[in-house]
């Protein structure tokens, strides 16, 4: 999965959780919480959607890795790769 | 039957918890004693009319274009993935508090109330503004804390006892399980829910909210079993081992959430005699509610408020009355006076008064019916004294009593807001049994939904028991 695809997949999840947010101009290196109205419950939801949709587990001590879109790509990229190869 | 999570009760809290969990793939079964869902806020048909059981107002109205800290209704929409338009909520026009010596109107947002206080109590308006600031943030809903008297705190902000009572009257009516006072954190919640955010109402009444919750729950794979009462909670090794159903059969689940009330839930346990006694006692506050169907909109009879809270005589007293129905205070609600584009059918006026549950439970059947008729007359003259005459336009009347509340919720004493001692963490002495709804501490339609969501998050979805990152 490309970096762009991972980014899009996170944005898709955020769109479902917070349909009222404008996601057209989210900066990848700025904390999501600073650009969007997301609180800790919403982050919990992102984690749970990842589990539900993509079978990816994010342990609580790693939640911080998801603070920015870049962080999501760096952290989740390898996890998606692992799933992709095991599925193949 | 086996499932991940079993929920006792299909009221607002049980349904919200169930939906939240089902959306995350948990297998969820909701067990409801009655043939109908909704609990205290259900709907019914009688003699050809459709009525809501309790709906006066959905609190915590979300104004269009609102920007600011996340408020409860937004939280519910997000956490349950609901489009805000689904509930079809329209705002109130205005509401008011009517005492012998003063009337204060209020609407959504603090502006109108502040203005009215400035006019009627000029020396108090600065204190009221400061009180508003003191209440601005919602307290943490799940932290256990000692009771703090609101009356004691209000004395620092407001000097005139009349104004103190007028500020308290709507808030106690819509959410205090305590006699004559309310915990200050609960006061903040009520202040924001009722004054700062305000009232709205679903165009089609409560069934709209319930339809959305139930259909989404089922679409997400949840099972809702009606006419299915839990007869016993079987306890083994500090855990709920199974729920035994009145109709026969058992349900076993990893986690059980109960909206049946704290004492009521404990009484279902097979080890009930060994449950460590706590400070909790059944609530004392119950209501009678009168419903009139009118032949024309109330506005045509000169009655405009969406909701009116009234009190006569000196001092507002919030306690179990000596008499079976207390006509010295009450709440008058007129669904047709919300800003709906289509007037709700039928045209209804409804009124709530404090009632003495002991009296109502002591009446045998003929005396009970007689008491209802009498209470109806008492309510009618009390309400007409506020609204002006309307009963010549009444086509139909219905009334419910503390006994009805107990029937629909199982709450002892018909205590609408449950026990005064809340279990804010939702925990019990059993590892997999948690409380949601009224006795977890959040009341009202919005409060109950939030409670269900918070408990589902804390004890099922977030394994560690916290609220996440
Ligand atoms: C007259 C009146 C007017 C009201 N008006 C408003 C209003 O305008 N706005 C507002 O916000 N709030 C209002 N409320 C309050 C509001 O209805 C409640 O706070 C809220 O609905 C509580 O929801 P809950 O899920 O906590 O509990 P409940 O609605 O009490 O649900 C509990 C459910 O559990 C079920 N149950 C209990 N025991 C068992 C068992 N052993 N087995 C199976 N099922 C069981 C019951 O049948 C019930 O359905 C009003 C209340 C009353 C009485």
């Amino acid at each position: 999965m490309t970096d762009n695809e991972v980014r899009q997949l996170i944005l898709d999840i955020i769109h479902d959780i917070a349909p009222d947010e404008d996601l057209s101009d989210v900066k990848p290196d700025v904390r999501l919480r600073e650009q969007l109205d997301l609180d800790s419950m919403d982050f919990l939801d992102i984690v749970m959607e990842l589990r539900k949709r993509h079978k990816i587990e994010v342990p609580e001590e790693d939640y911080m890795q998801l603070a920015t879109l870049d962080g999501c790509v760096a952290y989740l990229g390898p996890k998606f790769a692992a799933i992709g190869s095991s599925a193949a | 039957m086996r499932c991940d999570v079993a929920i006792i009760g299909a009221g607002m809290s049980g349904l919200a918890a169930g939906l939240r969990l089902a959306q995350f793939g948990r297998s969820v079964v909701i067990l409801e004693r009655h043939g109908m869902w909704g609990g205290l806020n259900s709907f019914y048909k009688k003699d050809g009319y459709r009525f809501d059981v309790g709906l006066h107002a959905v609190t915590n109205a979300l104004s269009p274009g609102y920007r600011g800290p996340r408020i409860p209704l937004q939280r519910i929409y997000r956490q349950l993935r609901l489009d805000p338009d689904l509930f079809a909520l329209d705002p109130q026009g205005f509401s008011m508090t009517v005492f012998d010596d003063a009337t204060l109107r209020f609407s959504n947002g603090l502006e109108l109330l502040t203005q009215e206080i400035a006019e009627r109590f000029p020396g108090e308006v600065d204190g009221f503004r400061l009180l508003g600031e003191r209440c601005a943030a919602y307290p943490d809903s799940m932290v256990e804390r000692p009771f703090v008297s609101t009356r004691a705190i209000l004395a620092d902000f407001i000097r005139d006892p009349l104004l103190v009572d007028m500020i308290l009257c709507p808030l106690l009516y819509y959410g205090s399980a305590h006699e004559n006072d309310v915990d200050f954190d609960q006061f903040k919640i009520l202040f924001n829910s009722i004054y700062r955010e305000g009232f709205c109402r679903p165009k089609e009444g409560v069934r709209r909210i319930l339809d959305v919750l139930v259909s989404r729950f089922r679409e997400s794979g949840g099972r809702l079993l009606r006419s299915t009462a839990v007869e016993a909670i079987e306890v083994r090794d500090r855990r709920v081992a199974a729920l035994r159903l009145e109709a026969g059969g058992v349900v076993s689940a990893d986690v059980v959430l109960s909206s049946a009330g704290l004492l009521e839930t404990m009484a279902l346990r097979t080890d009930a005699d060994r449950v460590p006694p706590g400070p909790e006692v059944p609530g004392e506050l119950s209501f009678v509610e009168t419903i009139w169907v009118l032949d024309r909109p109330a506005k045509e009879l000169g009655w405009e408020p969406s909701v009116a809270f009234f009190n006569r005589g000196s001092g507002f007293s919030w306690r179990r009355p000596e008499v079976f129905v207390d006509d010295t205070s009450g709440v008058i609600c007129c669904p047709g006076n919300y800003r709906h584009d289509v007037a709700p059918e039928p045209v209804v006026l409804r009124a709530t008064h404090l009632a003495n549950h002991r009296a109502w439970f002591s009446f045998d059947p003929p005396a009970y019916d007689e008491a209802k008729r009498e209470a109806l007359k008492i309510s009618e003259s009390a309400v007409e004294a506020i609204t002006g005459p309307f009963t010549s336009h009444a086509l139909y009347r219905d009334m419910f009593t503390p006994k009805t509340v107990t029937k629909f919720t199982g709450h002892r004493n018909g205590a609408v807001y449950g026990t005064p001692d809340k279990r804010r963490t939702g925990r019990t002495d059993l590892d997999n049994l948690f409380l949601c709804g009224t006795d977890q501490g959040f009341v009202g339609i919005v409060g109950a939904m939030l409670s269900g969501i918070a408990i589902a998050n804390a004890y099922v979805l977030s394994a560690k028991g916290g609220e996440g990152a």
Side-chain angles (χ1 to χ4, degrees):
Chain A
M1 191 172 292
T2 67
D3 289 0
N4 256 333
E5 282 167 337
V6 176
R7 222 170 277 135
Q8 192 50 49
L9 199 141
I10 291 293
L11 288 173
D12 288 347
I13 289 178
I14 295 175
H15 175 70
D16 286 344
I17 292 172
D20 46 338
E21 291 293 328
D22 176 8
L23 301 180
S24 57
D25 192 24
V26 179
K27 296 183 187 58
D29 52 343
V30 177
R31 290 167 67 87
L32 289 163
R33 282 176 80 158
E34 283 165 32
Q35 316 177 64
L36 303 169
D37 182 18
L38 296 176
D39 64 12
S40 58
M41 305 256 263
D42 297 325
F43 270 86
L44 180 62
D45 276 29
I46 294 175
V47 169
M48 290 192 300
E49 290 290 351
L50 281 166
R51 183 188 308 149
K52 181 172 116 187
R53 297 181 191 190
H54 306 291
K55 307 272 179 292
I56 285 188
E57 293 289 344
V58 181
E60 204 172 321
E61 55 273 21
D62 291 348
Y63 287 2
M64 295 302 294
Q65 312 283 336
L66 306 181
T68 64
L69 274 185
D70 282 349
C72 290
V73 170
Y75 179 79
L76 297 172
K79 291 192 175 253
F80 277 112
I83 285 180
S85 56
S86 69
Chain B
M1 189 189 310
R2 247 218 66 78
C3 57
D4 296 334
V5 184
I7 299 175
I8 305 177
M12 293 287 172
S13 64
L15 288 171
L19 174 52
R20 174 93 182 139
L21 293 169
Q23 281 178 333
F24 282 107
R26 298 300 194 281
S27 68
V28 184
V29 176
I30 303 182
L31 307 158
E32 169 56 53
R33 173 194 302 279
H34 291 284
M36 199 47 223
W37 48 81
L40 207 45
N41 247 297
S42 189
F43 54 94
Y44 61 100
K45 223 175 184 173
K46 199 165 168 183
D47 296 314
Y49 294 110
R50 283 163 163 270
F51 297 115
D52 285 343
V53 174
L55 182 72
H56 286 195
V58 173
T59 56
N60 303 87
L62 174 60
S63 320
Y66 168 81
R67 288 265 149 220
R70 186 81 50 87
I71 57 175
L73 210 48
Q74 292 175 310
R75 200 171 285 285
I76 289 172
Y77 293 147
R78 276 211 181 176
Q79 293 265 302
L80 300 181
R81 308 284 187 273
L82 300 174
D83 183 312
D85 295 333
L86 275 173
F87 288 161
L89 297 169
D90 292 320
Q92 65 172 329
F94 71 95
S95 291
M96 63 189 196
T97 306
V98 186
F99 278 46
D100 287 350
D101 297 323
T103 293
L104 294 173
R105 292 180 305 148
F106 59 92
S107 191
N108 298 355
L110 291 173
E111 294 76 17
L112 179 58
L113 181 56
T114 308
Q115 191 186 317
E116 298 255 320
I117 290 175
E119 279 165 27
R120 177 60 186 74
F121 300 90
E124 304 280 7
V125 69
D126 292 335
F128 179 73
R129 285 208 182 90
L130 289 172
L131 176 65
E133 284 166 28
R134 175 80 186 266
C135 294
Y138 278 95
D140 189 326
S141 64
M142 292 182 63
V143 176
E144 221 57 80
R145 62 216 171 213
F147 180 88
V148 175
S149 162
T150 295
R151 284 196 180 268
I153 291 184
L154 285 190
D156 296 340
F157 291 92
I158 312 278
R159 284 175 304 269
D160 190 332
L162 171 61
L163 181 57
V164 168
D165 275 346
M166 292 187 77
I167 291 171
L168 282 174
C169 173
L171 308 191
L172 298 189
Y173 253 108
Y174 276 2
S176 177
H178 257 276
E179 291 191 298
N180 283 322
D181 206 344
V182 57
D183 169 61
F184 190 61
D185 273 340
Q186 175 74 358
F187 174 84
K188 287 186 202 165
I189 294 171
L190 292 165
F191 186 97
N192 291 329
S193 306
I194 291 168
Y195 292 142
R196 194 185 306 275
E197 291 155 34
F199 297 154
C200 54
R201 185 183 176 280
K203 239 188 264 305
E204 298 140 53
V206 78
R207 80 192 62 138
R208 177 60 168 258
I209 295 179
L210 291 169
D211 281 353
V212 169
L213 295 177
V214 170
S215 61
R216 289 293 171 95
F217 174 67
R218 288 183 167 146
E219 284 159 26
S220 310
R223 279 172 294 173
L224 170 54
L225 305 184
R226 294 181 283 156
S227 307
T228 304
V230 174
E231 177 185 64
I233 298 177
E234 287 181 11
V235 178
R236 247 169 276 141
D237 305 329
R238 288 174 50 91
R239 291 181 65 80
V240 177
L243 301 175
R244 206 163 61 223
L245 306 180
E246 219 168 76
V250 292
V251 173
S252 59
D254 297 337
V255 179
V256 175
L257 310 183
S258 174
S259 66
L262 172 61
L263 298 164
E264 293 81 356
T265 301
M266 295 305 154
L268 292 172
R269 287 166 55 167
T270 47
D271 64 344
D273 51 335
R274 271 166 286 146
V275 179
E280 294 87 1
V281 291
E284 290 292 342
L285 293 160
S286 194
F287 298 149
V288 294
E289 173 107 351
T290 322
I291 300 176
W292 298 273
V293 175
L294 303 183
D295 66 3
R296 66 198 63 195
K299 276 194 176 145
E300 288 178 22
L301 301 169
W303 182 248
E304 308 234 337
S306 304
V307 188
F309 302 83
F310 73 88
N311 184 62
R312 294 178 315 173
S314 66
F316 170 59
S317 139
W318 179 249
R319 41 92 196 86
R320 187 188 74 222
E322 296 296 323
V323 288
F324 72 127
V325 50
D326 180 356
D327 62 351
T328 57
S329 76
V331 185
I332 304 164
C333 169
C334 184
N337 287 348
Y338 280 80
R339 301 193 175 194
H340 296 311
D341 49 6
V342 183
E345 278 286 329
V347 177
V348 157
L349 194 71
R350 48 198 311 152
T352 309
H353 308 276
L354 285 167
N356 182 319
H357 62 84
R358 291 192 190 161
W360 286 97
F361 279 92
S362 73
F363 299 138
D364 52 21
Y368 178 81
D369 292 337
E370 182 54 36
K372 264 175 93 163
R373 278 191 293 277
E374 214 178 303
L376 194 103
K377 272 197 227 131
I378 291 171
S379 173
E380 256 172 28
S381 49
V383 171
E384 281 197 315
I386 305 291
T387 60
F390 68 86
T391 49
S392 58
H393 298 281
L395 302 171
Y396 185 83
R397 296 161 167 85
D398 195 18
M399 158 163 275
F400 75 75
T401 75
K403 246 180 156 164
T404 329
V405 174
T406 297
K407 182 171 160 223
F408 276 100
T409 65
H411 288 177
R412 290 192 189 162
N413 294 350
V416 173
Y417 301 127
T419 162
D421 299 283
K422 299 303 182 191
R423 256 318 154 83
R424 290 183 203 281
T425 63
R427 287 181 199 275
T428 68
D429 59 307
L430 302 185
D431 296 339
N432 63 343
L433 174 66
F434 303 95
L435 301 175
C436 65
T438 308
D439 281 347
Q440 187 261 321
F442 268 26
V443 298
I445 295 167
V446 169
M449 286 195 276
L450 274 179
S451 167
I453 292 169
I455 295 297
N457 285 342
Y459 301 114
V460 185
L461 295 175
S462 138
K464 286 208 174 148
E467 284 197 346

